[in-house]
Amino acid sequence: MAEYTAKKLVQMLITVLGVITLVFFTLRLIPGDAASAMAGDTLSGEALQALRDQMGLDEPLLNQYLGFLRDLVTVDLGETITTRISIAELLLRALPITLSIALATIFLSIAISIPLGTLAAFMAHKGRNWLDNGLTGAAMIIDLMPSFWMALVLLLIFSLGLGWFPASGQLNWSDPWALTLRLALPVIVLSLSQVATLARITRTAVLEVLNEDYVRTARSLGWSELRVLFRHALKNAALPIATVVGLSFGNLLGGTVIVEFIFTIPGVGNLLIAGINSRDYQLVQTLIVFYALLFVVINFATDLIYKTLDPRVQF
Amino acid sequence: MIGNIRKLLAASLALLASIMLVLSASSPALAQGKTLTVRFYDDPAGFDPANIFRIENENLAFNIFSGLTTYDGETGEIIPDLATSWETTDNKTWTFKLREGVTFHKDYGDFTAADVIYSFNRVKDPATASPYASELSGIASMEAPDPYTLIIELDAPNGNFLHTVANYHQGQIVSQKAIEDAGDQVRWQPIGTGPYYLDSIDVSSQIVLKRHEGYYKGPAPIETIVFNIIKDEATATIALRNGEVDLVMRSNKEENLEVLEAEGFTMNSVKDYAVVIGVLNPEFEPFANSLVRKAMAHAVDYASITQAISPSLTQPHNSMLLPWMDVYTDDIPTYEYDPEKAKALLVEAGYPDGFTFKNLGTSAQGVTELQQFQIDFLSQVGINMEMELVDTPTFNQRRNAGEFDMASRLLPAVNPDMILFSFLHPDNMVPNGLNGARYDNPEVTTLLETARAEPDKEEAFEMYKKVQQIVAEEAAYLPTYSNNVFWPGKSEVTGVHINYLAQVNFYDVDIAE
C-alpha cells in the first residue's frame, strides 16, 4: 500500500505540472490580453500600451512562467492583474461556498440515488420494470436539459411563482435557515443530474450482483429481502458506485460554475468566469491549477477507497 | 467499510460546520435608516478615477467623487460642482472660483485648490499610467493664488474644457493624503467629496455605500445603498419582481423590459445615450470607395430593424453625434432605405456583382438579430456579409489595431468634440487611436482644430456643423442606431435621473414612504 501510494503521488505531481504548463501557455496563445479586455470601446494607442506595461504583460514569457512556478512552490498566489486583490484571499472566501454546494449536492444525491437505484434493481429483478423504466426515462430527460436552462425554470417556478427561495442576495452565514434557502435551488439543480447518473449506475451494479450465487445463498438461508438487498447486494455493488461518485465530484465542480453564475453565488466558479472575461491570467491559471489539484486529489482518494473496499484490486 | 464511510461523513460534516462558524463572524449588519438595494451587474474592478474603466464602476465613482463641474441629472447640462463659477476670455486661460466648506470623506479634511492641482497632476503623471492622461495633456500650468481660486493655463484654446473637468474619470478630485495612505489599494479605498462614501465591499457579492453626512449640499435622503451583484439578466429581473432589489442598474433585454413595464415598475430611462456606428476599413478595397459606403448605407432599413428587434432599447440614427449635444445638427445628408439606389451606386462604383466582406463580431454576443437582418438586407443588393466571430478581448485587440473589414463601435461620450476628434483626426488613426476608418481629410482636420480654439460659440458651431456635413456626405462612418438605457425600479423609488453618461446621481434618489 505504501509503495502504491508513493507511486500515485508521483503521478499526481507530474499531472499537475503538466496542467500548469499547458494552462499557462494556452492562456497566452488566446489572442487578446487583460489590457485589451479592459480597453472596451474607448482605449487604444499609447494609453493601452501604458496599461499593458503596468500589468506586466510585456515581460518575456519564460520569465512569467518561471515566476509563476516559483510562486506556486512558495505558495504565494499573488494578486489578480486587473483588480490587485490577493488571490489567496479571494479563494479563501469563495472556496467554502463552492465546497458547501458541492458537498451538499453529493450528500443529497447519494441519499436519494442509492436507495432509488437499489429499489429499481430489486423491482427489475422481480420482473416489475415500471420504476426501472421510469427512472431511465427521467434520467434521460434530465440529462438533455442544460443546467442553465433548468436553473432559470426552477427560479421562475420556486422563486418567482411560489416565493419559496430568494433569487439573489448575500449569503448570510450567521442565519443557517436563510443560507439553506439561498443555496437550495443551486443544490437542487446540481443534484438532479447527479441523481440521474448515480441512480442508473447503482441500479446496474446492484442488478448484476442480485444474480450472483452468494445472494441466492443468502436468500436460501431465509434472510429477509431487505437484509439481502442492503447487506449483501449493495455492499458488493459499492465498488463501481464509489468510482462514479468520485468522478461525478469532478463533474460537479464544472457544474458549479454555471449555477454560481445564474444564482449569483460568489464561489470559485464565479471567480473563474470573471477571470476569463477579464483575461486575468494570474487569476485564471491559479484557479485552474487549484481545480486540477482538487480533481487529482479526489481521484487519488477514490483509488485508495477502491483499494480499501476491495483489497484484491491490483494496479 | 461502513465504519470508514461513517468516519468520512462525520469528518466532512465537522469541516462544513467549522467553515460556517468561521464565516458567520464576518457577516455585515446593516444600520438603521432608509436603505436602497440596487442590482449591480458585474464584479467591481475598482474606483480609482485615474484608472476606472467600466461603466458600472463609473456609476459608483460618480457618487463618491466630485469634479469642478458636473452634469445636471435632468437636462444633462454642465453645472457647477466644486467650482461655483468660472471665466475665460480666450478658452485658453480658465479661472475657477472654488466652493468653500467642502469636506472629504472620513476626516480627510477640507477641499482646496491644492487638491485639484494634485488630482490633475496625478492623472498626467506617467507613473499613474492613467488612460485619461491625454485628456489633461493640454494643461500647461496650474496655480492657486488663494485656496479657493484656481487658474489653469492651456497649451491651446479649448472651448470644451468644462467637459474635461467634469465629474468623470480624469476630472474627479481626490485627496493627496488619502491616496498616499491607500498605497497600492487606492482603487478599493476611494475618498472623495461626493454625497456617498464606500462603506464596505465584497468584490464578488456586495458593495455598500453610506451617505456623506458632511456633503456640501447636506446629507442625501437615503442613508445606505446596497449594491447586490447579480450578473444574469433574467435573475436580476426576477430579483426585482420578487422585491429583493429596489432598482436594477441597466436592464438590456427587450423581453425583460416588457415584463417589468407590464407589471407596473417605473421604467427610468435615458434616450439616445450612445450611437453605434459601422467602421469600414478602406484597406479593404471596396470600402475605400465612398460610393460603396453610400450603397451600404442605402441598403439596410434600420428603422424596420430596430422596430422589430428592440423598440424600447434602440432607434435608427444617422449622425455620429446625438441630438442633445450642443453642436449637433440634423442639417446633413442622410441615406434613406433604397435598395435600387444602392444597386445603382454599386454599378457606378464598379461592383455590379457586389462583393463579399467580413464583419468582425464577438463570440460572446454571437450573430445578433441585428446582424442577421443586416446580412439579409445587404444580400438583396448583392453584398455578401460574412460574420467573423472572435472572443471579446481578441475583438478589442483587433479593432484597436484596425484589423478588420468592418467592425462596429459604440460612441459613448458627452463631449462631441472628443468624438469628432477621435474618429476623424488623422493623428488618431488606428492603431494610435479610434479613427478606424483611417479618415484623413485636410479640410475636416483644419475645421476641427479651429473649432476647438474658437471662443465664439456660434462660429464654433458653424465649423462643427460643416464637419458633420462633410463626414455624412462622404459616408466616412455608417451610423446605424442609437440606444437607450433603462434602470427599472419599484414605483416608490423616486428621482432616478439617468444622465447621458448613463449615470445616476443618488443624491436625487429617495424612497417614498
Side-chain angles (χ1 to χ4, degrees):
Chain A
M1 193 77 180
E3 190 196 337
Y4 167 75
T5 311
K7 203 171 106 190
K8 276 272 156 197
L9 277 175
V10 173
Q11 279 178 1
M12 269 167 62
L13 216 70
I14 295 172
T15 312
V16 171
L17 191 68
V19 168
I20 292 173
T21 313
L22 200 68
V23 165
F24 183 90
F25 289 102
T26 327
L27 263 180
R28 283 156 181 83
L29 276 180
I30 309 172
D33 57 28
S36 66
M38 278 175 98
D41 269 299
T42 46
L43 200 59
S44 66
E46 270 175 39
L48 189 61
Q49 191 53 42
L51 185 67
R52 193 168 278 130
D53 289 343
Q54 193 195 38
M55 290 176 157
L57 297 174
D58 280 343
E59 273 215 29
L61 216 50
L62 192 67
N63 286 5
Q64 290 187 39
Y65 177 65
L66 293 178
F68 181 50
L69 286 187
R70 195 173 46 237
D71 289 349
L72 285 180
V73 172
T74 54
V75 205
D76 170 14
L77 303 185
E79 295 173 339
T80 71
I81 304 179
T82 44
T83 61
R84 296 267 159 244
I85 301 177
S86 147
I87 294 181
E89 198 181 296
L90 285 176
L91 202 54
L92 276 180
R93 268 168 190 260
L95 190 59
I97 298 169
T98 302
L99 279 188
S100 309
I101 295 176
L103 288 177
T105 304
I106 284 284
F107 285 130
L108 189 67
S109 343
I110 290 180
I112 296 172
S113 61
I114 293 193
L116 202 63
T118 311
L119 195 64
F122 178 71
M123 304 278 268
H125 185 64
K126 294 279 175 200
R128 277 173 286 171
N129 281 322
W130 61 267
L131 182 62
D132 192 21
N133 292 341
L135 207 62
T136 314
M140 223 157 65
I141 292 171
I142 289 169
D143 274 347
L144 285 174
M145 295 195 285
S147 52
F148 71 88
W149 182 80
M150 195 146 63
L152 285 179
V153 171
L154 291 187
L155 263 181
L156 279 176
I157 299 172
F158 294 105
S159 182
L160 188 62
L162 299 169
W164 292 355
F165 307 110
S168 69
Q170 279 283 90
L171 296 180
N172 187 358
W173 295 84
S174 57
D175 182 350
W177 179 239
L179 186 69
T180 309
L181 288 180
R182 179 77 173 83
L183 294 182
L185 279 181
V187 168
I188 292 171
V189 169
L190 289 173
S191 298
L192 276 173
S193 56
Q194 293 288 323
V195 167
T197 318
L198 281 183
R200 275 159 68 202
I201 299 287
T202 308
R203 175 243 166 216
T204 313
V206 172
L207 194 57
E208 235 167 67
V209 176
L210 281 178
N211 293 319
E212 296 281 342
D213 288 343
Y214 54 83
V215 173
R216 205 170 316 127
T217 313
R219 272 213 189 94
S220 67
L221 288 173
W223 290 5
S224 76
E225 280 295 336
L226 270 184
R227 191 166 169 197
V228 170
L229 201 61
F230 283 95
R231 283 301 290 275
H232 292 267
L234 187 59
K235 189 173 170 185
N236 283 291
L239 213 54
I241 299 174
T243 315
V244 173
V245 170
L247 285 178
S248 66
F249 195 81
N251 294 335
L252 197 57
L253 290 176
T256 53
V257 177
I258 294 161
V259 298
E260 281 179 14
F261 183 79
I262 301 222
F263 294 100
T264 62
I265 290 163
V268 186
N270 233 333
L271 271 187
L272 186 65
I273 293 186
I276 292 172
N277 284 340
S278 58
R279 279 292 193 282
D280 199 312
Y281 297 139
Q282 188 69 24
L283 180 61
V284 175
Q285 67 203 19
T286 309
L287 290 182
I288 303 250
V289 167
F290 165 77
Y291 272 106
L293 268 177
L294 207 62
F295 207 87
V296 168
V297 168
I298 289 165
N299 272 342
F300 178 60
T302 313
D303 284 346
L304 288 189
I305 291 172
Y306 209 94
K307 183 113 177 127
T308 317
L309 288 177
D310 187 352
R312 290 169 308 173
V313 173
Q314 294 292 319
F315 292 91
Chain B
M1 177 204 115
I2 299 282
N4 283 347
I5 291 182
R6 214 173 275 151
K7 264 185 224 162
L8 188 75
L9 209 97
S12 317
L13 279 177
L15 176 78
L16 201 71
S18 54
I19 290 168
M20 289 172 96
L21 214 73
V22 171
L23 284 162
S24 63
S26 61
S27 71
L30 294 180
Q32 300 302 307
K34 277 186 187 175
T35 297
L36 180 78
T37 309
V38 184
R39 175 260 182 144
F40 193 79
Y41 58 86
D42 205 349
D43 288 325
F47 314 108
D48 175 0
N51 282 302
I52 205 159
F53 279 90
R54 296 201 307 249
I55 196 165
E56 72 277 17
N57 296 300
E58 289 169 4
N59 251 301
L60 295 202
F62 185 72
N63 284 278
I64 293 171
F65 296 98
S66 318
L68 294 181
T69 60
T70 190
Y71 297 99
D72 184 276
E74 288 184 69
T75 64
E77 274 171 49
I78 291 244
I79 51 171
D81 194 3
L82 292 178
T84 50
S85 64
W86 48 81
E87 55 189 49
T88 179
T89 46
D90 54 2
N91 285 350
K92 202 165 174 243
T93 306
W94 292 78
T95 305
F96 293 91
K97 275 285 163 208
L98 305 186
R99 195 178 296 278
E100 296 186 31
V102 174
T103 55
F104 280 101
H105 303 150
K106 300 183 180 171
D107 297 328
Y108 270 99
D110 288 343
F111 157 81
T112 66
D115 297 304
V116 184
I117 296 176
Y118 172 77
S119 301
F120 291 176
N121 279 332
R122 177 171 177 265
V123 172
K124 288 176 73 179
D125 183 357
T128 313
S130 171
Y132 310 111
S134 62
E135 312 234 358
L136 296 179
S137 62
I139 296 180
S141 70
M142 289 182 275
E143 56 177 299
D146 67 75
Y148 298 102
T149 305
L150 178 72
I151 302 170
I152 298 181
E153 188 81 35
L154 304 181
D155 289 330
N158 181 355
N160 296 285
F161 191 61
L162 292 178
H163 283 292
T164 310
V165 296
N167 179 6
Y168 188 53
H169 295 154
Q170 75 284 345
Q172 292 174 337
I173 306 304
V174 297
S175 142
Q176 178 167 8
K177 187 168 186 308
I179 297 286
E180 286 166 0
D181 285 354
D184 66 353
Q185 292 296 307
V186 167
R187 70 181 76 208
W188 302 118
Q189 293 167 28
I191 298 290
T193 55
Y196 284 89
Y197 68 90
L198 181 71
D199 182 57
S200 70
I201 184 159
D202 178 345
V203 280
S204 44
S205 121
Q206 196 177 67
I207 307 155
V208 179
L209 296 189
K210 289 266 185 195
R211 74 174 167 215
H212 176 29
E213 301 292 343
Y215 185 53
Y216 70 79
K217 288 188 203 166
I222 291 172
E223 185 173 2
T224 309
I225 310 179
V226 178
F227 292 87
N228 277 342
I229 297 167
I230 306 177
K231 296 180 189 173
D232 187 69
E233 283 274 339
T235 312
T237 306
I238 291 174
L240 179 62
R241 294 168 76 192
N242 262 354
E244 292 164 27
V245 297
D246 304 311
L247 187 65
V248 169
M249 179 189 282
R250 291 203 107 167
S251 193
N252 279 331
K253 290 246 160 62
E254 191 74 29
E255 65 269 25
N256 293 337
L257 293 176
E258 280 165 17
V259 169
L260 293 173
E261 188 161 22
E263 292 197 359
F265 287 96
T266 308
M267 306 306 284
N268 309 295
S269 71
V270 66
K271 199 180 166 212
D272 283 327
Y273 150 68
V275 191
V276 175
I277 55 167
V279 183
L280 303 176
N281 179 358
E283 285 174 9
F284 175 73
E285 203 189 289
F287 291 160
N289 189 330
S290 74
L291 295 174
V292 171
R293 300 198 295 266
K294 287 177 188 175
M296 297 266 294
H298 276 301
V300 185
D301 184 0
Y302 287 105
S304 307
I305 297 178
T306 51
Q307 186 59 34
I309 303 176
S310 48
S312 316
L313 285 161
T314 54
Q315 54 272 317
H317 187 75
N318 50 29
S319 166
M320 289 177 77
L321 301 184
L322 291 157
W324 49 265
M325 292 177 169
D326 52 6
V327 302
Y328 171 84
T329 177
D330 57 6
D331 182 14
I332 55 169
T334 53
Y335 302 90
E336 299 307 314
Y337 173 59
D338 188 344
E340 292 313 314
K341 197 163 184 184
K343 282 183 200 162
L345 282 165
L346 284 176
V347 172
E348 196 186 340
Y351 295 95
D353 303 321
F355 56 90
T356 298
F357 74 98
K358 289 199 175 92
N359 186 357
L360 190 66
T362 67
S363 48
Q365 284 196 307
V367 180
T368 61
E369 282 176 299
L370 176 93
Q371 287 158 345
Q372 292 171 31
F373 276 113
Q374 280 178 327
I375 290 171
D376 191 46
F377 275 109
L378 288 171
S379 74
Q380 288 173 25
V381 301
I383 300 174
N384 181 20
M385 172 169 127
E386 288 174 357
M387 287 304 300
E388 186 179 12
L389 298 182
V390 292
D391 65 332
T392 309
T394 310
F395 175 79
N396 287 340
Q397 179 149 323
R398 285 191 44 188
R399 200 171 56 165
N400 285 329
E403 292 164 6
F404 54 80
D405 295 346
M406 178 178 173
S408 61
R409 268 209 194 256
L410 185 77
L411 308 183
V414 281
N415 183 352
D417 173 69
M418 207 185 89
I419 292 184
L420 297 175
F421 239 82
S422 308
F423 283 84
L424 302 170
H425 199 284
D427 284 356
N428 294 323
M429 219 179 267
V430 288
N432 292 323
L434 299 173
N435 183 353
R438 283 115 166 134
Y439 187 76
D440 183 3
N441 178 336
E443 189 190 353
V444 168
T445 308
T446 311
L447 279 170
L448 282 174
E449 287 169 357
T450 329
R452 182 175 271 189
E454 178 55 58
D456 185 276
K457 287 216 175 268
E458 280 302 314
E459 288 193 26
F461 172 70
E462 287 306 318
M463 290 181 236
Y464 284 118
K465 184 172 162 185
K466 184 83 185 138
V467 167
Q468 291 170 72
Q469 286 167 340
I470 297 173
V471 167
E473 169 54 35
E474 296 186 349
Y477 289 91
L478 301 183
T480 53
Y481 63 92
S482 63
N483 56 26
N484 310 330
V485 173
F486 281 84
W487 285 41
K490 289 182 184 166
S491 52
E492 305 92 278
V493 180
T494 59
V496 182
H497 307 299
I498 309 169
N499 71 16
Y500 288 113
L501 293 164
Q503 293 172 336
V504 168
N505 186 347
F506 284 101
Y507 187 76
D508 299 335
V509 179
D510 197 359
I511 304 173
E513 296 293 337

